[in-house]
Amino acid sequence: MSDLLIKNCDVFCCKDNKPDFLLSHDILVTGNRIQSILPTSESTTTPVKNRIDASGMLAVPGMVNTHAHVPMVLFRGVAEDVTLEEWFNQYIFPMESNLTPEDVFWGALLGMAEMIEAGITNVADHYFFMDEVAEAIKASGIRGNLAWAVFEHEGLEKFDETVEFVKRWQGRAEGRIKTWLGPHSPYLCGPEFLTRCAQLAEGLDVGIHIHVAETEDQVALSQKQYGMTPIRLLAQTGVLNRPSILAHCCFPTKEDIDIIADHPAGVGQAPKTYMRAGMGLGPLKAFQERDIPVGLASDGAASNSTLDLYEQMRLMALTQKFIENDARVMPLDKILKIAYAGGARVCQENDLGVLAPNKLADIVLLRQDRSAVIPRLNPAANLVYAINAVDVDTVICNGVVLMHNRQLLTIDKEKIKGEIESRLARLVKKVPGKVVAVYPT
Ligand SMILES: [Zn+2]
């Protein structure tokens, strides 16, 4: 007997590598995979364990968030309208030194509730106390590509602890957890540290998730310190020989783009963060010309306010049109490819990012009945420019329903709210001299 039948929805899928919308279809799920997608008129009459009437809704793949610091929802709104250097050194790094593993667990769970409500079913997370993030993934029902962020100044012993984390959690939670290594960045991890990281990743057969080339200043600093760009440094130390998520990567040189294209690396882009911080935008056109995988990223809520990829998708398309002064730039098919299949490609997940038979059953049902989504003359335009995270009605991950009719089924939001409120006064205290790291200037 099949497990789940989603009745009578429109389905966003891919045909000849282009977005396509099927009207009035049924999606049948067996175990954790999609068994079939058929017109409702031809669909199965055999018994199923669970049925969802999705009349009038649009089924899309669960989104993949390619770079986040999920527990940073704890610091939402604490550092606004400040430079990147102030953001790190005066607010975030001092406050992060207050974090306990339990804080991280409750922050992660709140972030996962927010992501489920926004139709995200997989997150590449990069933070501290990642055992607690893994526990939150296990409890929430979404997927995670988890990397424990380490700084060189913490020493190799700390790094070895994160290697143990990789071994401890790889493939757990019914296969929903994947673990990679997470050196913070070339500006806080030098060449020897990065080389060791690349060797360990090879030995463990895992990828590497790292911040790189976020600002022009970082690129200039790397040139001064090492005589090369941070991307070249990642190539020379062997990091780029591993599957890699390059977080932000807004300022690669032309040569850097060639280097990235020749390695198994993808880029996570968070245009809202870049606009808020006044950093500048990534060269998406150049990435696309070289077929470099690009996906949407939320970054942390302390730099981005929300973990909402619908907002990021819209901003990515609009900012590209704006900077090129050309409405034809980043058309609907390209932005939809980045938003869905692109995220899966960045995380090297071949069975995610598209709704098709045999793919993993990570399915989101979007309501299309808000006034702003009527009429449905152009479903692709509605999906990019009219639909919002608030339209997410039902979320299924790995074949399991995590939210239905906007009711979270795996997470108790009231309990999380209470836990977080009881911790806030301690968390936002800045203890003189206590910081997790120092952002170089
Ligand atoms: Zn980040």
Side-chain angles (χ1 to χ4, degrees):
M1 192 191 291
S2 292
D3 295 286
L4 175 65
L5 182 64
I6 303 167
K7 289 286 297 173
N8 196 27
C9 53
D10 301 340
V11 182
F12 166 56
C13 57
C14 226
K15 194 178 168 192
D16 302 330
N17 214 17
K18 290 267 181 198
D20 192 27
F21 289 82
L22 309 171
L23 302 182
S24 297
H25 273 59
D26 288 5
I27 305 174
L28 187 63
V29 174
T30 301
N32 65 349
R33 291 194 181 257
I34 296 171
Q35 189 180 323
S36 63
I37 301 176
L38 291 169
T40 299
S41 54
E42 298 168 20
S43 185
T44 181
T45 50
T46 55
V48 289
K49 286 183 197 156
N50 187 10
R51 244 168 225 269
I52 292 175
D53 178 5
S55 301
M57 293 198 202
L58 173 64
V60 296
M63 277 177 154
V64 177
N65 186 353
T66 60
H67 172 71
H69 314 285
V70 178
M72 287 185 89
V73 292
L74 295 166
F75 301 121
R76 201 189 314 263
V78 295
E80 301 290 326
D81 308 324
V82 293
T83 66
L84 197 59
E85 192 267 331
E86 288 170 314
W87 186 87
F88 272 121
N89 290 339
Q90 292 181 28
Y91 295 90
I92 300 305
F93 283 159
M95 289 182 197
E96 283 182 331
S97 71
N98 299 328
L99 285 168
T100 66
E102 293 73 28
D103 299 332
V104 166
F105 174 76
W106 292 108
L109 213 49
L110 176 65
M112 284 166 205
E114 184 183 345
M115 285 191 289
I116 293 170
E117 288 175 340
I120 296 166
T121 51
N122 190 5
V123 60
D125 200 43
H126 192 267
Y127 211 54
F128 324 113
F129 302 123
M130 292 302 284
D131 287 286
E132 279 65 29
V133 178
E135 290 290 354
I137 288 277
K138 203 170 143 191
S140 69
I142 68 167
R143 298 178 195 279
N145 174 322
L146 308 181
W148 194 311
V150 279
F151 306 106
E152 180 164 11
H153 72 81
E154 293 179 296
L156 290 177
E157 207 175 294
K158 179 75 200 172
F159 193 63
D160 290 345
E161 273 179 45
T162 76
V163 168
E164 291 308 309
F165 162 77
V166 166
K167 293 180 189 163
R168 197 156 52 239
W169 284 94
Q170 191 68 271
R172 291 203 34 209
E174 302 87 40
R176 288 182 285 111
I177 293 177
K178 193 184 242 188
T179 48
W180 283 15
L181 292 179
H184 184 273
S185 57
Y187 56 86
L188 290 171
C189 303
E192 274 177 41
F193 193 85
L194 292 172
T195 302
R196 177 167 167 77
C197 177
Q199 288 163 351
L200 282 169
E202 192 181 352
L204 292 161
D205 194 21
V206 299
I208 294 172
H209 184 168
I210 187 165
H211 297 97
V212 65
E214 300 163 308
T215 66
E216 282 173 311
D217 288 350
Q218 286 174 15
V219 177
L221 186 72
S222 176
Q223 292 279 16
K224 201 171 135 195
Q225 275 183 303
Y226 307 118
M228 65 185 90
T229 66
I231 294 291
R232 179 161 286 284
L233 184 67
L234 294 188
Q236 286 209 353
T237 52
V239 169
L240 290 186
N241 293 334
R242 303 304 311 159
S244 312
I245 297 175
L246 307 180
H248 311 311
C249 194
C250 293
F251 294 94
T253 61
K254 251 183 161 177
E255 202 191 16
D256 288 340
I257 288 172
D258 291 338
I259 293 173
I260 298 168
D262 289 341
H263 290 86
V267 177
Q269 282 269 304
K272 187 178 165 196
T273 289
Y274 315 147
M275 293 171 80
R276 280 168 64 99
M279 285 161 56
L281 294 162
L284 289 175
K285 207 170 151 191
F287 289 148
Q288 287 181 318
E289 278 166 7
R290 296 302 311 270
D291 197 29
I292 292 170
V294 175
L296 299 174
S298 67
D299 208 12
S303 61
N304 200 39
S305 298
T306 64
L307 307 178
D308 175 354
L309 295 185
Y310 283 93
E311 203 178 11
Q312 295 283 358
M313 166 164 65
R314 188 166 309 144
L315 284 172
M316 182 181 276
L318 294 175
T319 49
Q320 291 302 309
K321 289 176 189 298
F322 182 77
I323 57 171
E324 300 281 342
N325 266 328
D326 187 346
R328 294 166 299 182
V329 171
M330 197 60 86
L332 295 169
D333 61 332
K334 284 205 168 135
I335 187 68
L336 285 172
K337 212 168 160 185
I338 287 175
Y340 291 99
R345 206 174 151 215
V346 169
C347 291
Q348 315 230 349
E349 296 284 358
N350 295 332
D351 283 349
L352 296 176
V354 65
L355 298 183
N358 300 321
K359 297 288 181 184
L360 286 165
D362 287 15
I363 305 164
V364 170
L365 300 175
L366 299 163
R367 292 180 191 169
Q368 301 182 95
D369 56 356
R370 252 189 331 114
S371 307
V373 191
I374 300 168
R376 287 185 241 160
L377 287 171
N378 185 341
N382 278 4
L383 185 51
V384 175
Y385 292 117
I387 281 174
N388 284 323
V390 293
D391 297 309
V392 174
D393 179 274
T394 297
V395 175
I396 295 148
C397 181
N398 213 30
V400 176
V401 183
L402 307 183
M403 183 170 85
H404 184 50
N405 200 14
R406 280 202 81 73
Q407 296 301 309
L408 291 169
L409 303 177
T410 53
I411 294 180
D412 180 346
K413 223 160 54 175
E414 279 308 304
K415 181 163 171 52
I416 300 171
K417 202 171 153 223
E419 284 285 349
I420 287 177
E421 279 171 1
S422 71
R423 293 158 194 271
L424 287 181
R426 173 179 50 78
L427 281 174
V428 299
K429 255 191 203 140
K430 292 186 229 169
V431 181
K434 216 176 143 216
V435 292
V436 298
V438 176
Y439 183 74
T441 50

